[in-house]
Amino acid sequence: MARRVLALPTVALVLLFIASAPAPGAAGQRSPAAAQEARLVATAAQVDTPPAIDGDLGDRAWQAATPLTGFTQAEPEEGAPASEPTEVRIVFDDEAVYVGVACHDDNPSQIVTTDTRRDSDLGGQDAIGIIFDTFHDQQNGFVFGTNSAGSQFDGQVRDQGGVTTSWDGSWEVKTHVGADAWTAEFRIPLRTLRYGPAPQVWGVNVARNIQRHRERAFWSPVARIYDIQRLSSAGELQGLRLKTPRNLKVLPYAVSSAERSFVPGAEVDFDGNAGIDAKVGVTPSLNLDLSYNTDFAQVEVDTQQINLTRFNLRFPEKRPFFLENSGLFRVGKGDLLDLFFSRRIGLDQNGGLVPIAGGGRLSGKAGGFNLGALNMQTEAAAGSAANNFSVFRVSRELPQRSGLGFIFVNRSATGALANNGDWNRTWGGDARLGIGEDFSIAAFAARTETPGASGREYAYNVDSYYDNGRHLARVEYGATGEGFNPEVGYLDRTGGYRRLFFRFAETLRQQSIRNLGFRQLLPHMTYTRYEYLDGGLDNAELHVDNDWDFENGVLLSATLNGTWDGLREPFEVYPGVVVPPGVHGGPRFSLQANSDRRKPVFLRFTMDDGRFLTGHQFSPSLQATVRRGAAFTVDATWSYRSFDLPEGRFRTNLGNARITYNFTPQVFVQSLVQYNDRTDRWSSNLRFQVLQTAGTGLFVVYNDTETLDGNGPVNRTFVVKYSRQFDLLN
């Protein structure tokens, strides 16, 4: 009965939103039927002789294709023709799909290029991107993009969500900047894609950024509030008669390291390792990935954080094997709750490495279903038993941006050190429902099983979302039981809670506002409240804000924030500073100011001033970015936090500086220096990378950790790693 009562507010809110949402076709939005009738159609041409990938569109092969033209702005003038013409041609042969792009520009000297590294953010640069919905389900796709300097950007889209850039495919692109246009040529091997049997019809769209105007334009029109992943707004690509080449690739790696710990009697530790991954095309739409002695991606360090809350921090996954197709296995609430988090495999509770013997992953489509199965085996380490990890995921798209899915996650101890009760399981189901063009509902429910555990082991969440471009409203309600324990997942707070979240926003873009020099004003409010399962406040966050977005790229934000914590036991927020039980906190004022990101010098200042637990905080921070074209960038951030509580005073400093020099889009050197007075350490990470295809190549890394008290180094490491992809059937 209690669970039914808890669900009633959610049901009422969902019904309220459904009743208040405009009917399809209202508020200037096209109905689904009208959108389908108006869908743009492109035709791909088959060629016998493919174009040379050199950035020059003079090849005869391009003449066989009818260009995609007539781009439409999404930003700043939604629905207006693009300010500069764009032409896109698509051809194919038995080996690859080729895309040729001409981005005409009446002033190429004003092209903005800020970075050339793979998967660097193209949103702040002049760039072109194309998405292929290879199963034409209007929800999933592959994205490929570049800027005028020829950088490579690729990613996967699942369920029309954000672009997951952790996927690295094998493809190539070359660009050229001319007197009146910049051009790009893409070659995307068929082995890189997954698709159904011939003849194929794909969804397709092309996006272009013209950054000096802060302009986004699309071949198939997309509403301003969406981006290229809005595949329900994409056009169709017809004329494809693609073969299904067999796929067998191997990716061996070797790594060698020298590490010295500066403690009395310690010696230099030399180590070496090697392993191999393989990619096997089971069918054109189903791929098997195998791994032996899995690569631990020792080349990139985590950016440090200081945690002054009672809740867990989440650090990103960086190991190549686990990154690919990671979106397929994602169920939950992201940074709040994830039923499967691959970083739990091969890392202990303290971040120490646990050797992974190997494993495999099967992923793709079969019979209209998205399938994912993963199995990994770790070795025994530091007296702990070896473990086997298994994940199974199945989902299916339904019409109108809807879908259903199921996930199962299992960890079982194995080997001589294992005992019968050392296992953990997670079961979960998720669903999403699109209603019209503006409203959607998403939900998941899960439970865990842990031998000997007590308490309720469930979790669920319902998320209702309405956005018509001007009015936005979002309401969520969820709960986790006190015994909910996804050991191979992520949970930012334990002990159980009920969570209520809502957000309201209004986008103001009237001409009267534009006349004052603004692109838009965005007043908005969010409120999140966590309650203990037996009642009473656990934590609450309030955010009331208005973003002042100037046409010249400057952004100002003046904010009323508030944080309240209901402590049921003493909380040591800082060594020696213990806050007593009770409800503490209150409002604070925040200010943020950004300069124009398009300029060679970018500055961001933020400041928080107000209540913190039983006392007061003052927390300014400054970010400065200096760049010279796309080759050289210095990005530095400093955060200072001062706290004055009745229980004690303390302060924290956290700083980092990242310096990057890009020799070419494939070759760069980068240093990251971090300062953290909370751990009494500063550290430096120096990386030199020569990238080949799909993120493989040569990596040379030097790490150094020093104390802040002048006692010298703590640890130094030198790592050399080389990985390479071999296409055995090409």
Side-chain angles (χ1 to χ4, degrees):
M1 178 63 69
R3 294 186 185 180
R4 291 183 180 178
V5 172
L6 290 176
L8 285 176
T10 304
V11 174
L13 288 168
V14 169
L15 293 175
L16 176 62
F17 272 92
I18 293 175
S20 62
Q29 298 290 332
R30 295 178 298 175
S31 70
Q36 184 64 36
E37 292 173 3
R39 193 174 302 279
L40 296 180
V41 175
T43 303
Q46 187 168 12
V47 296
D48 296 323
T49 303
I53 305 302
D54 54 12
D56 182 357
L57 298 180
D59 300 82
R60 186 175 181 178
W62 297 122
Q63 300 175 14
T66 301
L68 285 63
T69 59
F71 279 54
T72 302
Q73 290 186 39
E75 187 78 48
E77 299 291 344
E78 184 175 358
S83 63
E84 301 281 357
T86 306
E87 299 176 26
V88 180
R89 292 172 169 84
I90 302 174
V91 300
F92 66 94
D93 62 10
D94 292 344
E95 300 294 331
V97 173
Y98 306 84
V99 182
V101 183
C103 297
H104 296 277
D105 198 310
D106 61 6
N107 193 356
S109 65
Q110 296 299 308
I111 290 174
V112 178
T113 306
T114 62
D115 204 341
T116 64
R117 289 173 299 155
R118 182 160 187 152
D119 289 337
S120 59
D121 182 15
L122 298 182
Q125 311 182 59
D126 279 67
I128 196 79
I130 186 166
I131 188 168
F132 291 126
D133 175 4
T134 56
F135 291 100
H136 206 203
D137 57 26
Q138 299 187 23
Q139 299 198 48
N140 306 299
F142 297 91
V143 179
F144 303 90
T146 191
N147 57 18
S148 62
S151 69
Q152 284 187 301
F153 176 95
D154 56 7
Q156 291 176 307
V157 170
R158 301 206 67 86
D159 305 332
Q160 291 198 137
V163 179
T164 302
T165 59
S166 56
W167 177 74
D168 284 328
S170 297
W171 58 285
E172 57 183 306
V173 64
K174 296 293 182 183
T175 59
H176 173 73
V177 180
D180 59 359
W182 66 275
T183 57
E185 289 184 304
F186 298 75
R187 182 183 186 273
I188 305 168
L190 300 182
R191 291 184 178 91
T192 298
L193 302 169
R194 304 287 174 264
Y195 51 88
Q200 297 92 358
V201 176
W202 292 358
V204 67
N205 208 351
V206 186
R208 180 182 176 186
N209 291 343
I210 305 175
Q211 193 58 23
R212 66 178 176 276
H213 303 314
R214 295 175 62 197
E215 177 179 324
R216 290 184 301 129
F218 295 86
W219 170 67
S220 183
V222 173
R224 175 186 53 79
I225 57 176
Y226 304 120
D227 213 322
I228 196 170
Q229 60 264 31
R230 184 73 171 185
L231 284 165
S232 57
S233 298
E236 286 186 350
L237 181 61
Q238 300 180 357
L240 295 168
R241 296 177 299 278
L242 303 177
K243 293 189 175 182
T244 53
R246 293 178 300 165
N247 185 22
L248 178 57
K249 299 172 183 173
V250 295
L251 297 88
Y253 82 91
V255 60
S256 179
S257 65
E259 180 177 7
R260 182 179 179 185
S261 177
F262 287 82
V263 296
E267 298 181 353
V268 177
D269 181 18
F270 295 95
D271 194 12
N273 208 349
I276 189 169
D277 293 347
K279 297 179 180 294
V280 182
V282 179
T283 72
S285 57
L286 203 60
N287 203 65
L288 175 64
D289 294 275
L290 301 171
S291 179
Y292 173 73
N293 205 16
T294 306
D295 181 5
F296 267 88
Q298 299 94 332
V299 300
E300 188 173 0
V301 299
D302 290 318
T303 301
Q304 295 184 24
Q305 304 176 54
I306 293 178
N307 189 6
L308 297 177
T309 73
R310 296 170 288 146
F311 315 117
N312 298 321
L313 294 178
R314 175 169 174 149
F315 293 91
E317 175 65 89
K318 298 180 179 180
R319 295 170 292 180
F321 181 83
F322 294 105
L323 289 174
E324 186 164 350
N325 287 325
S326 58
L328 174 62
F329 297 95
R330 191 170 296 128
V331 180
K333 283 300 301 177
D335 290 341
L336 299 178
L337 188 159
D338 225 338
L339 300 187
F340 172 63
F341 183 38
S342 60
R343 195 174 167 112
R344 301 296 188 201
I345 302 175
L347 295 175
D348 62 23
Q349 295 289 341
N350 300 316
L353 301 185
V354 177
I356 300 177
R361 176 184 59 237
L362 183 70
S363 60
K365 268 189 180 286
F369 290 88
N370 304 303
L371 299 178
L374 180 144
N375 185 271
M376 303 296 293
Q377 178 67 46
T378 64
E379 300 176 1
S384 298
N387 278 278
N388 182 266
F389 299 84
S390 298
V391 187
F392 176 73
R393 168 71 166 158
V394 60
S395 65
R396 181 165 186 142
E397 286 81 22
L398 300 173
Q400 191 61 25
R401 311 187 322 277
S402 303
L404 293 169
F406 168 82
I407 190 170
F408 170 71
V409 186
N410 182 78
R411 179 199 64 80
S412 297
T414 61
L417 299 178
N419 61 66
N420 292 333
D422 192 357
W423 55 268
N424 175 263
R425 293 174 187 151
T426 301
W427 309 78
D430 60 312
R432 61 189 185 281
L433 173 66
I435 302 174
E437 289 296 301
D438 307 326
F439 185 72
S440 62
I441 302 173
F444 82 88
R447 67 156 299 164
T448 59
E449 294 180 86
T450 308
S454 60
R456 292 160 286 188
E457 295 186 85
Y458 66 82
Y460 64 86
N461 191 84
V462 179
D463 179 357
S464 58
Y465 185 79
Y466 174 79
D467 189 357
N468 71 350
R470 178 168 180 178
H471 314 293
L472 181 150
R474 184 169 194 164
V475 179
E476 297 182 31
Y477 183 81
T480 68
E482 65 274 22
F484 186 68
N485 178 32
E487 289 186 2
V488 198
Y490 174 80
L491 190 62
D492 81 321
R493 58 188 74 201
T494 58
Y497 59 81
R498 301 186 188 97
R499 173 178 174 268
L500 173 66
F501 169 87
F502 62 80
R503 174 182 174 87
F504 299 103
E506 187 82 1
T507 302
L508 305 178
R509 299 171 66 92
Q510 295 91 328
Q511 189 58 46
S512 58
I513 290 174
R514 304 288 295 275
N515 292 340
L516 297 174
F518 296 104
R519 170 67 63 90
Q520 67 179 26
L521 302 182
L522 183 63
H524 58 277
M525 177 183 70
T526 63
Y527 179 73
T528 308
R529 181 181 179 88
Y530 291 87
E531 290 191 345
Y532 294 104
L533 291 175
D534 58 358
L537 175 69
D538 181 354
N539 171 255
E541 296 280 348
L542 174 68
H543 177 81
V544 182
D545 193 1
N546 182 38
D547 291 341
W548 304 71
D549 185 357
F550 289 83
E551 190 63 47
N552 63 8
V554 172
L555 180 68
L556 298 178
S557 173
T559 308
L560 173 65
N561 287 322
T563 301
W564 293 266
D565 283 281
L567 303 181
R568 292 191 166 181
E569 57 186 35
F571 170 51
E572 187 174 33
V573 63
Y574 191 83
V577 180
V578 180
V579 179
V583 176
H584 308 300
R588 64 185 187 276
F589 174 74
S590 300
L591 177 68
Q592 177 177 316
N594 291 11
S595 67
D596 187 356
R597 289 181 177 275
R598 297 169 293 183
K599 304 299 183 182
V601 177
F602 166 75
L603 298 174
R604 171 189 286 166
F605 172 77
T606 63
M607 183 270 294
D608 268 7
D609 188 18
R611 293 288 296 179
F612 177 80
L613 294 174
T614 56
H616 180 269
Q617 70 162 314
F618 176 66
S619 304
S621 68
L622 178 66
Q623 177 187 356
T625 302
V626 180
R627 60 179 176 82
R628 183 176 180 182
F632 180 71
T633 304
V634 178
D635 187 3
T637 301
W638 190 274
S639 297
Y640 170 81
R641 304 183 72 181
S642 174
F643 302 90
D644 185 358
L645 278 63
E647 296 78 24
R649 296 181 177 181
F650 62 95
R651 64 184 182 183
T652 67
N653 287 276
L654 181 66
N656 64 69
R658 193 183 303 268
I659 303 173
T660 305
Y661 188 84
N662 301 309
F663 298 95
T664 72
Q666 290 76 38
V667 182
F668 72 90
V669 61
Q670 182 178 87
S671 67
L672 173 63
V673 178
Q674 301 188 80
Y675 172 94
N676 186 343
D677 66 358
R678 181 70 175 81
T679 60
D680 292 326
R681 297 284 190 273
W682 70 268
S683 63
S684 58
N685 168 253
L686 180 65
R687 290 188 292 150
F688 174 72
Q689 295 187 192
V690 181
L691 293 179
Q692 296 174 339
T693 188
T696 61
L698 174 67
F699 307 85
V700 181
V701 184
Y702 174 72
N703 294 317
D704 183 14
T705 302
E706 305 272 345
T707 61
L708 296 179
D709 54 14
N711 290 331
V714 176
N715 180 275
R716 288 175 180 166
T717 307
F718 183 73
V719 179
V720 178
K721 185 171 78 170
Y722 182 72
S723 61
R724 184 165 182 176
Q725 177 178 280
F726 295 93
D727 191 339
L728 301 184
L729 299 179
N730 187 10

